[in-house]
Amino acid sequence: MSGLSGKAAIAGIGATEFSKESGRSELQLSVEAVQAALKDAGLSPKDVDGLTTFTMDTTSEIALARELGMGDLRFFSRINYGGGAACATVQQAAMAVATGVADVVVAFRGFNERSGERFGRFSVSAAQQVNTNGLDNAWTYPMGLGTPAATVAMQAQRYLHEYGATSEDFGRVAVADRKHAANNPNAFFYGKPITLEEHQASRMIVEPLHLLDCCQESDGAVAIVVTTAERARDLAQTPAVISAAAQGSAPDQFVMTSYYRDDIGVPEMGVVGRELWRQSGLAPADIQTAILYDHFTPYVLMQLEELGFCGKGEAPGFIADGAIELGGRLPLNTHGGQLGEAYIHGMNGIAEGVRQIRGASFNQVPDVAHVLVTAGTGVPTSGLILSR
């Protein structure tokens, strides 16, 4: 086990409602989520001395601190690579409190991604970034490869070719997510499960991805309160101890377009997985439920393989017969995932991992001791193992 394992814990979680038009600023959304998370933990804004978020987030730490009436901030950091940052914000918070750099750190993410800038649309902004990611994207955007769905479709098509998988295999992920969302009153698709037939009948976005293979565009915010495991034990909620926290990037890595290496899957998640198992001393058999980043269904299959739950090309068989639904061998995305609950860049998945540890999920898995949570795929990414 690593020196970080067991030193920090998630003591509070909070979120706004998830909608398609929030009617308020991204700063306001983040303020509401942080207030809710601190109330959940039994802490006040004055207790917070650290903040972490995504480089993409529009809310500055100092603005959030002013609006909430926080005192001195001793630590703040931001993580790059879109949704790949989600678990890494908690990793940064954990390292800060474990080393005494800060006492209470809040990781937050808030955006109007449906009513404001829509990530799913073709946008030239990715090719105009003032860093080398923009230069990388400039190779593919002029050729029309300018949406997340288009970039993922390339890898999804190769996966089908390499392993003989089918679109129905992708659809089983969507069906499981929506089945779980149907039981979650906070999910956008509460009460709205889908069938595999409905998945197959949904319109094609970019072959082989149907509409129901693609996550939502959502407005909302989520906040996560991290402090030492020792302090968390004395706070209001059952702590979710951070047994492992890792980031990962693989050779010849690009942002969503890593097509120039021998393995065009998601080997960066393999880097994360190996580090999670090393830090925690656990193995896939020790995990009762997982929250796997599901912005597009094919990447869920690839993650199962990279994380060691099954071999390469074996995920279609692994997920068959309801194995990833509640009651199956490895229930996934019990909140409904980003396809069913909301797309808050993976932060809502971390919150669901905490609820599973607390025994408070709307789709509670029995006897949960360890939950694995991952961040964005197709990009440099991150992951967590949360334990009771």
Side-chain angles (χ1 to χ4, degrees), residues 156-157 159-160 165-175 196 199 208-209 212-213 297-299 301-302 319:
Q157 196 73 273
Y159 186 86
L160 297 181
T166 67
S167 172
E168 288 89 345
D169 295 321
F170 299 158
R172 290 182 180 91
V173 175
V175 169
L196 189 58
H199 169 272
L209 300 180
L212 293 178
D213 287 308
T297 57
Y299 279 156
L301 303 187
M302 297 179 202
I319 69 169

Side-chain angles (χ1 to χ4, degrees), residues 41 55 99 148 164 235 239 243 272:
T55 54
T99 56
L235 295 177
S243 291
V272 169

Side-chain angles (χ1 to χ4, degrees), residues 9-347:
I10 296 173
I13 54 175
T16 64
E17 83 290 353
F18 305 131
S19 72
K20 301 300 180 187
E21 187 167 3
S22 72
R24 51 220 198 265
S25 71
E26 292 176 339
L27 172 59
Q28 179 64 33
L29 292 172
S30 294
V31 165
E32 292 176 20
V34 174
Q35 285 176 324
L38 290 172
K39 182 178 180 181
D40 183 58
L43 295 170
S44 76
K46 293 294 186 184
D47 293 309
V48 178
D49 57 357
L51 294 168
T52 63
T53 188
F54 296 46
T55 54
M56 295 178 68
D57 202 278
T58 61
T59 296
S60 75
E61 297 87 342
I62 56 176
L64 186 66
R66 287 198 310 268
E67 293 300 320
L68 285 163
M70 292 178 182
D72 296 340
L73 292 181
R74 299 195 291 143
F75 172 77
F76 33 91
S77 71
R78 289 184 171 236
I79 309 295
N80 198 358
Y81 306 118
C87 295
T89 64
V90 175
Q91 180 196 42
Q92 289 276 304
M95 290 191 295
V97 302
T99 56
V101 171
D103 293 326
V104 176
V105 181
V106 177
F108 70 94
R109 180 76 170 108
F111 56 15
N112 286 319
E113 192 249 344
R114 178 59 175 81
S115 64
E117 181 181 353
R118 297 177 63 179
F119 293 178
R121 287 184 170 177
F122 191 100
S123 169
V124 298
S125 62
Q128 295 177 338
Q129 297 176 72
V130 289
N131 56 39
T132 55
N133 293 342
L135 179 64
D136 291 344
N137 286 324
W139 288 98
T140 51
Y141 269 58
M143 309 305 167
L145 204 63
T147 67
T151 60
V152 174
M154 297 276 282
Q155 288 172 290
Q157 196 73 273
R158 180 60 178 266
Y159 186 86
L160 297 181
H161 172 76
E162 288 285 343
Y163 300 117
T166 67
S167 172
E168 288 89 345
D169 295 321
F170 299 158
R172 290 182 180 91
V173 175
V175 169
D177 275 9
R178 288 289 294 271
K179 184 175 183 178
H180 297 155
N183 293 332
N184 175 5
N186 297 319
F188 187 80
F189 285 115
Y190 175 53
K192 296 180 180 179
I194 59 170
T195 64
L196 189 58
E197 291 71 27
E198 287 171 324
H199 169 272
Q200 289 292 286
S202 65
R203 65 186 174 91
M204 194 66 74
I205 300 301
V206 185
E207 191 176 358
L209 300 180
H210 291 268
L211 175 66
L212 293 178
D213 287 308
C214 308
C215 73
Q216 303 180 66
E217 294 173 307
S218 305
D219 288 10
V222 174
I224 312 287
V225 179
V226 178
T227 188
T228 64
E230 182 179 14
R231 183 173 185 179
R233 283 194 289 269
D234 296 327
L235 295 177
Q237 301 289 351
T238 299
V241 176
I242 299 168
S243 291
Q247 288 181 276
S249 175
D252 295 323
Q253 181 86 59
F254 284 75
V255 177
M256 301 297 291
T257 58
S258 300
Y259 307 141
Y260 312 102
R261 55 193 185 189
D262 292 337
D263 183 349
I264 68 160
V266 289
E268 52 278 359
M269 191 57 74
V271 178
V272 169
R274 290 187 293 275
E275 183 63 11
L276 293 178
W277 306 132
R278 184 195 69 81
Q279 287 185 26
S280 66
L282 300 171
D286 298 311
I287 303 299
Q288 289 77 46
T289 180
I291 312 296
L292 301 187
Y293 198 95
D294 58 336
H295 52 341
F296 297 96
T297 57
Y299 279 156
V300 173
L301 303 187
M302 297 179 202
Q303 286 181 80
L304 285 167
E305 296 168 4
E306 289 289 348
L307 293 166
F309 290 101
C310 56
K312 287 293 183 72
E314 295 178 359
F318 183 91
I319 69 169
D321 302 321
I324 58 173
E325 297 178 9
L326 198 65
R329 75 171 94 171
L330 184 69
L332 297 182
N333 302 335
T334 49
H335 57 319
Q338 298 178 117
L339 281 80
E341 185 185 59
Y343 179 74
I344 312 295
H345 246 168
M347 297 295 277

